[in-house]
């Protein structure tokens, strides 16, 4: 597994505001959207393309376009939905699947409660959206499902990651074609499984605490 921490001043600037407890939900959503687009730019550096012949107003030439099958973007509900617009803005022709997962706050184990994805992902590049790579259990479970369906190249895009989560993924997904792209690798997890210094509960800060 490969972990890529995006080192860019605009990424650091937006992430700082996201971390600030004074940032309200509308501002948090806007900045998360912008940050995801920056991360997606790095995450899609190896997106598969094919050559195509075109004619410009001046001459014939050869360019590139995204190859088939199209990439699949999979936000993990609910917090991952806040990253979807920023991702598809960069990959408008990608298809979108949905994966609903919930973490037991006592055992920290993830369970799937909803899935809307193709059964066969053979030959597909898949981009999984989950704001926080904390314990890693949710992403491990999600990526195992994708690989079981035939995905041969999975990239997880996270706003933040904790060392414990990265280590779990490296251990549980050893040898799998997986890349993690994140804005920062933070210090640690606290006793509640939250990333420190982190930015709190991404879902609550995106959408509020209703429900």
């Amino acid at each position: 597994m490969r972990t890529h921490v995006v080192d860019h001043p605009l990424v650091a600037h937006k992430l700082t505001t996201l971390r600030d407890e004074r940032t309200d939900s509308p501002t948090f959503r806007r900045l998360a959207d912008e940050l995801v687009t920056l991360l997606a730019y790095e995450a899609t550096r190896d997106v598969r393309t094919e050559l195509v012949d075109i004619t410009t107003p001046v001459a014939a030439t050869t360019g590139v376009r995204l190859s088939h099958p199209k990439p699949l973007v999979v936000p993990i509900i609910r917090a991952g939905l806040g990253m979807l617009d920023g991702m598809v803005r960069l990959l408008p022709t990608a298809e979108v699947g949905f994966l609903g997962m919930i973490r037991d706050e006592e055992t920290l184990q993830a369970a799937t409660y909803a899935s809307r994805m193709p059964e066969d992902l053979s030959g597909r590049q898949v981009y999984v959206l989950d704001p926080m790579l904390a314990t890693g259990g949710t992403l491990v479970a999600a990526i195992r499902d994708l690989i079981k369906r035939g995905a041969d190249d999975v990239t997880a895009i996270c706003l933040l990651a904790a060392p414990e989560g990265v280590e779990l993924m490296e251990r549980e997904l050893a040898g799998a074609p997986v890349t993690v792209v994140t804005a920062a690798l933070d210090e640690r997890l606290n006793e509640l499984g939250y990333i420190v210094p982190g930015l709190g509960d991404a879902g609550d800060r995106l959408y509020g605490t209703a429900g």
Side-chain angles (χ1 to χ4, degrees):
M1 192 190 84
R2 184 171 69 94
T3 301
H4 176 44
V5 179
V6 179
D7 181 16
H8 192 286
L10 287 180
V11 169
H13 167 74
K14 294 179 189 300
L15 181 57
T16 298
T17 307
L18 286 175
R19 291 186 189 275
D20 193 330
E21 66 179 3
R22 297 170 297 180
T23 300
D24 59 23
S25 287
T27 304
F28 192 95
R29 285 195 295 270
R30 176 178 59 80
L31 288 173
D33 179 78
E34 294 172 0
L35 180 54
V36 170
T37 299
L38 293 173
L39 296 178
Y41 181 80
E42 290 294 328
T44 56
R45 188 172 294 276
D46 296 321
V47 68
R48 293 168 186 160
T49 60
E50 59 189 17
L51 297 178
V52 57
D53 294 327
I54 63 168
T55 301
T56 78
V58 179
T61 188
T62 300
V64 298
R65 66 183 176 194
L66 297 185
S67 59
H68 289 273
K70 295 177 181 178
L72 181 70
V73 177
V74 180
I76 295 181
I77 302 171
R78 75 176 163 143
L81 291 175
M83 303 172 68
L84 182 58
D85 286 348
M87 185 70 190
V88 298
R89 182 178 299 114
L90 201 66
L91 277 179
T93 61
E95 296 180 352
V96 179
F98 296 93
L99 191 59
M101 305 195 77
I102 189 167
R103 186 179 74 164
D104 187 302
E105 295 303 326
E106 292 185 3
T107 67
L108 303 182
Q109 296 298 308
T112 301
Y113 66 86
S115 178
R116 183 72 173 180
M117 291 189 296
E119 286 300 323
D120 185 6
L121 296 177
S122 299
R124 298 286 288 268
Q125 285 182 294
V126 182
Y127 297 90
V128 183
L129 309 180
D130 194 11
M132 314 298 282
L133 171 49
T135 63
T138 298
L139 272 176
V140 166
I143 291 171
R144 279 178 171 164
D145 185 18
L146 295 169
I147 292 174
K148 183 178 179 180
R149 295 170 187 255
D152 65 355
D153 188 335
V154 180
T155 299
I157 300 176
C158 307
L159 302 183
L160 288 178
E164 294 91 335
V166 171
E167 290 169 6
L168 180 75
M169 290 186 66
E170 289 176 339
R171 184 170 66 251
E172 297 295 325
L173 299 171
V178 177
T179 300
V180 173
V181 176
T182 184
L185 183 61
D186 273 10
E187 296 173 11
R188 58 183 174 86
L189 295 179
N190 66 13
E191 64 280 0
L192 299 177
Y194 282 89
I195 298 175
V196 179
L199 49 76
D201 186 298
D204 287 350
R205 297 199 65 189
L206 282 163
Y207 304 117
T209 57

